[in-house]
Amino acid sequence: MKIATWNLNSLRTRLPQLLSWLDGERPDLLALQETKLPDPEFPAAELLECGYHALCAGQPAYNGVALLSRVVPNLCFTDFSEFPGLTGFRDPQRRVLAAVCTDVCVLNLYVPNGSEVGSPKYAYKLSWLERLQEVVRALLRRHEYLLLVGDLNIAPEDRDVWEPRAWKDKVLCSAPEREHFQRLLEAGLEDCLRKHHAEGELYSWWDYRNASFQRNQGLRIDHILASASLTQCCLSCHVDKRPRGLDRPSDHAPVIAEFELPAGEPDES
DNA sequence: ATGGCGGCTGAGAGCCGA
């Protein structure tokens, strides 16, 4: 099973690139972020034509997530408020989509950027991440095979940052954000890319400015995390940098992981 | 130190991202 995550920075603008990439890669699952598109305008027909069923949770102009799947996916929820115990936390920003595909529960996230440490948006990010911890713990109790994927907007360690001294304590790299990432690992998730690659200079986002991509000045903020049973089955994980080099690219590149699941394992619910 | 770029809305220039 091949699964991928890609922040498209506008599905409308990137649809031709997406369709061409899907034709080449044929992942079983692709989690999308920053679709920036209300649901009635979601290009479901074009994607189905390409062989993909879709679930989406969008809004105009900002945010928006979607899940593409070769098999028909079963939607679980599109907001943390749909979760027992978190009913007071309805978020008008579309950043969450959870679904079950065959035996795997996939939680697709577009974590708030946070703007600047100490800002109101940063406070929103931290409280959002606090709610996420509860959701992840509950999902891990229910699903042996859990994937948490998406634009987490956290560079977990200095090796995930092109200039750690410049980024120190800045948004995406601050200690409270990194602690949230570590808590996800402590809860029972593993970082699939780090299972296979210890080296630095592996990034998933590069600023449009300053020829950052050409100089490989980036951050690793898009992630594929998996529960222990799934991580055991993870054969490979890598960043596909090719789409970032196309004309009019997204500023993020896809991250791809391959799994070999034992036949006939049931998920529980 | 600041802005660089690019996408959005709505028809300007300003907001937002990371």
Side-chain angles (χ1 to χ4, degrees), chain A residues 117 158 161 163-171 173-175 178:
Chain A
V117 173
D158 280 354
V161 180
E163 200 177 57
R165 277 181 303 178
W167 281 92
K168 182 174 162 54
D169 297 328
K170 297 284 196 296
V171 75
C173 300
S174 73
R178 287 179 166 179

Side-chain angles (χ1 to χ4, degrees), chain A residues 18-31:
Chain A
L18 171 62
L19 293 172
S20 153
W21 187 84
L22 285 170
D23 273 333
E25 284 296 322
R26 304 312 289 172
D28 296 284
L29 285 173
L30 173 61

Side-chain angles (χ1 to χ4, degrees), chain A residues 6 17 21 240-247 249-250 252-254:
Chain A
W6 192 5
Q17 288 184 25
W21 187 84
D240 181 6
K241 291 174 72 170
R242 294 170 304 169
R244 185 61 179 82
L246 299 173
D247 280 340
S250 167
H252 297 251

Side-chain angles (χ1 to χ4, degrees), chain A residues 1-268:
Chain A
M1 186 178 66
K2 184 192 267 194
I3 78 107
T5 179
W6 192 5
N7 179 324
L8 283 180
N9 186 21
S10 170
L11 174 53
R12 222 189 316 258
T13 301
R14 236 63 71 185
L15 183 59
Q17 288 184 25
L18 171 62
L19 293 172
S20 153
W21 187 84
L22 285 170
D23 273 333
E25 284 296 322
R26 304 312 289 172
D28 296 284
L29 285 173
L30 173 61
L32 300 174
Q33 303 85 35
E34 287 209 86
T35 54
K36 301 187 172 180
L37 192 78
D39 291 342
E41 293 175 40
F42 190 86
E46 289 93 328
L47 290 163
L48 197 55
E49 179 89 15
C50 188
Y52 287 90
H53 304 275
L55 297 170
C56 58
Q59 67 183 88
Y62 300 113
N63 310 310
V65 287
L67 188 70
L68 310 185
S69 171
R70 304 272 292 151
V71 302
V72 177
N74 296 299
L75 181 66
C76 296
F77 56 90
T78 59
D79 193 278
F80 291 156
S81 70
E82 297 173 44
F83 228 73
L86 293 173
T87 49
F89 292 104
R90 203 180 135 55
D91 189 350
Q93 303 186 27
R94 313 320 279 139
R95 299 180 174 278
V96 174
L97 196 158
V100 171
C101 298
T102 56
D103 292 337
V104 179
C105 178
V106 185
L107 179 59
N108 176 20
L109 301 178
Y110 175 45
V111 174
N113 165 280
S115 184
E116 205 176 317
V117 173
S119 68
K121 286 178 182 172
Y122 182 77
Y124 164 64
K125 180 178 193 174
L126 292 186
S127 73
W128 198 97
L129 287 167
E130 196 62 52
R131 273 171 271 159
L132 171 64
Q133 300 292 346
E134 289 191 50
V135 171
V136 164
R137 278 165 174 74
L139 289 176
L140 279 166
R141 285 194 292 270
R142 287 169 177 69
H143 301 277
E144 174 162 7
Y145 291 154
L146 177 67
L147 282 170
L148 187 163
V149 303
D151 178 356
L152 304 193
N153 267 321
I154 302 173
E157 300 177 36
D158 280 354
R159 61 180 164 164
D160 302 309
V161 180
W162 69 277
E163 200 177 57
R165 277 181 303 178
W167 281 92
K168 182 174 162 54
D169 297 328
K170 297 284 196 296
V171 75
L172 315 182
C173 300
S174 73
E177 293 165 85
R178 287 179 166 179
E179 282 159 19
H180 271 291
F181 190 94
Q182 290 308 314
R183 283 171 63 189
L184 294 173
L185 304 186
E186 286 156 17
L189 295 171
E190 294 184 52
D191 182 338
C192 288
L193 189 120
R194 286 305 178 206
K195 172 181 171 165
H196 297 283
H197 303 282
E199 67 270 29
E201 301 188 335
L202 297 175
Y203 308 131
S204 66
W205 171 87
W206 300 260
D207 200 301
Y208 284 120
R209 298 162 291 190
N210 308 319
S212 300
F213 180 65
Q214 287 75 8
R215 300 153 135 175
N216 198 29
Q217 298 180 339
L219 303 174
R220 192 174 71 96
I221 55 179
D222 301 270
H223 301 285
I224 296 177
L225 309 185
S227 58
S229 321
L230 254 188
T231 306
Q232 279 192 335
C233 316
C234 183
L235 305 177
S236 69
C237 186
H238 74 283
V239 179
D240 181 6
K241 291 174 72 170
R242 294 170 304 169
R244 185 61 179 82
L246 299 173
D247 280 340
R248 300 235 302 171
S250 167
D251 42 358
H252 297 251
V255 183
I256 306 172
E258 291 247 32
F259 298 86
E260 190 172 70
L261 270 62
E265 285 279 317
D267 184 46
E268 179 359 26

